[in-house]
Amino acid sequence: MSAPVIEANGARIPAIGLGTWDLRGRTCARVVEQALRLGYRHIDTAEMYNNEREVGEALRASGVRRDEVFITTKIWQDHLAPGEFERATKECLVRLRLSDVDLLLIHWPNPRIPLAETLGAMCRMKQAGFARHIGVSNFTAPLVDQAVALATEPLVVNQIEWHPYLDQSKVVAATRRHGLAVTAYSPIARGRAADDKTLRLIGLHHRKTAGQISLRFLVQEGAIVIPRTSKRERLEENMAIFDFTLDDAEMDEIRKLAHPAGRVVDWSGSPNWD
Ligand SMILES: NC(=O)c1ccc[n+]([C@@H]2O[C@H](COP(=O)([O-])OP(=O)(O)OC[C@H]3O[C@@H](n4cnc5c(N)ncnc54)[C@H](OP(=O)(O)O)[C@@H]3O)[C@@H](O)[C@H]2O)c1
């Protein structure tokens, strides 16, 4: 089964991808290869995940053609000065053993480095053919506006934490206003949504699990989702979200689960950008 594709500023991105944070070594290689064999066509990695080598190995071992898979990597906060950014990008490609990635992201903003300089470097990486598309991650609404104004190449994605416990309407609206797609990371709230009573009850009507309801909710909100799992059966479970529809009342009920302390990823080390 092939997943729907989300189009954004010239990019075509599979609506579901495999997240790989915290998957390392043989486990990472096994899970990524299994995912590709099961039909995943979008893999999310990053230089700080320390698993790009295994992601590249798994891609080659899977037998799936390179041009059929959408590969994202991200450059860490410490490498956003232009020279560092370019060096880090090339090192990602060496570890992946690829000539380019489909999407190159700024992993987190860094207020100590002028955004214009980082974006300049990222646009050069795209022009040089090292990345087919570029984008950002963990950017707030005002930062998305700034980034779009400064970039000389189109940005296609803002990757942010998003799941039923977090109201992201403000940043989602700002991101979409510029034609970027939103990728939802931690889309099952690091596993928390899979135990949620409301999501379970809704799932009973559709013969789906609470985890699948969380993912389907985001897909119906127009997001790209990148759930991570180390388990084969959950790879299949997380993909089986395109054969049913939540109705308006169910969507509203899920939206009500959002609350101000709903984040599962720690932002405490980040400056207050709003
Ligand atoms: N840009 C960023 O700053 C950023 C930050 C965080 C994450 N991300 C990306 O987003 C990806 C996903 O986010 P995440 O890894 O934080 O969290 P997540 O995908 O929401 O949750 C992963 C956790 O949920 C469990 N799980 C997966 N599928 C399940 C299911 N169907 N039922 C029950 N439990 C399930 C997994 O355990 P098992 O392994 O036991 O299945 C794992 O512990 C990351 O891997 C990474 O690629 C990006």
Side-chain angles (χ1 to χ4, degrees):
M1 183 205 62
S2 64
V5 161
I6 302 286
E7 301 198 22
N9 287 341
R12 290 174 50 78
I13 309 171
I16 184 162
L18 175 70
T20 68
W21 173 71
D22 218 22
L23 296 177
R24 303 266 159 73
R26 295 319 306 157
T27 303
C28 178
R30 171 184 57 79
V31 174
V32 173
E33 185 179 340
Q34 283 174 341
L36 291 167
R37 288 187 190 278
L38 287 169
Y40 283 73
R41 290 294 178 266
H42 173 180
I43 309 290
D44 182 82
T45 183
E47 62 166 340
M48 71 82 77
Y49 297 172
N50 197 16
N51 63 14
E52 287 167 310
R53 254 177 243 290
E54 288 78 9
V55 167
E57 269 172 34
L59 174 60
R60 284 179 289 282
S62 72
V64 178
R65 277 189 8 217
R66 166 67 188 101
D67 62 2
E68 287 182 11
V69 185
F70 192 96
I71 306 273
T72 300
T73 199
K74 320 183 193 75
I75 303 300
W76 190 236
Q77 254 188 338
D78 294 347
H79 298 152
L80 299 190
E84 281 285 289
F85 191 95
E86 295 183 15
R87 184 191 54 75
T89 302
K90 289 172 191 166
E91 286 178 3
C92 290
L93 295 174
V94 168
R95 286 189 293 272
L96 285 160
R97 283 181 52 207
L98 295 177
S99 56
D100 60 21
V101 285
D102 296 276
L103 181 59
L104 181 66
L105 300 179
I106 298 173
H107 202 148
W108 286 86
N110 180 345
R112 293 181 301 280
I113 311 286
L115 187 54
E117 291 186 13
T118 307
L119 287 166
M122 191 159 70
C123 291
R124 281 195 295 282
M125 292 293 88
K126 177 172 186 258
Q127 286 153 6
F130 297 125
R132 291 179 198 191
H133 302 283
I134 55 174
V136 296
S137 179
N138 297 302
F139 272 40
T140 59
L143 267 182
V144 171
D145 290 340
Q146 278 180 44
V148 169
L150 291 167
T152 56
E153 295 283 339
L155 302 174
V156 304
V157 154
N158 186 16
Q159 185 181 124
I160 55 171
E161 180 179 343
W162 194 9
H163 43 68
Y165 305 122
L166 204 52
D167 175 5
Q168 291 285 39
S169 47
K170 191 174 147 199
V171 64
V172 167
T175 301
R176 293 206 173 127
R177 197 160 52 238
H178 299 291
L180 283 75
V182 177
T183 299
Y185 76 64
S186 305
I188 40 183
R190 296 233 154 124
R192 212 173 291 176
D195 294 323
D196 188 280
K197 206 170 128 207
T198 303
L199 300 180
R200 269 199 194 161
L201 280 174
I202 293 173
L204 282 178
H205 292 290
H206 298 279
R207 296 171 181 262
K208 295 288 176 181
T209 65
Q212 288 171 316
I213 298 300
S214 184
L215 295 170
R216 179 69 204 179
F217 165 73
L218 292 165
V219 163
Q220 283 186 219
E221 293 281 47
I224 296 161
V225 292
I226 49 169
R228 161 184 55 105
T229 180
S230 53
K231 300 185 174 63
R232 190 187 189 286
E233 62 277 13
R234 285 182 176 165
L235 286 172
E236 292 186 79
E237 177 184 334
N238 293 346
M239 260 208 123
I241 56 170
F242 299 106
D243 57 355
F244 72 107
T245 304
L246 299 168
D247 67 25
D248 291 346
E250 290 168 328
M251 290 293 284
D252 279 342
E253 206 181 336
I254 298 170
R255 283 190 199 102
K256 287 191 195 127
L257 296 176
H259 57 94
R263 276 191 194 283
V264 296
V265 172
D266 184 12
W267 268 47
S268 57
S270 296
N272 183 0
W273 291 93
D274 284 312

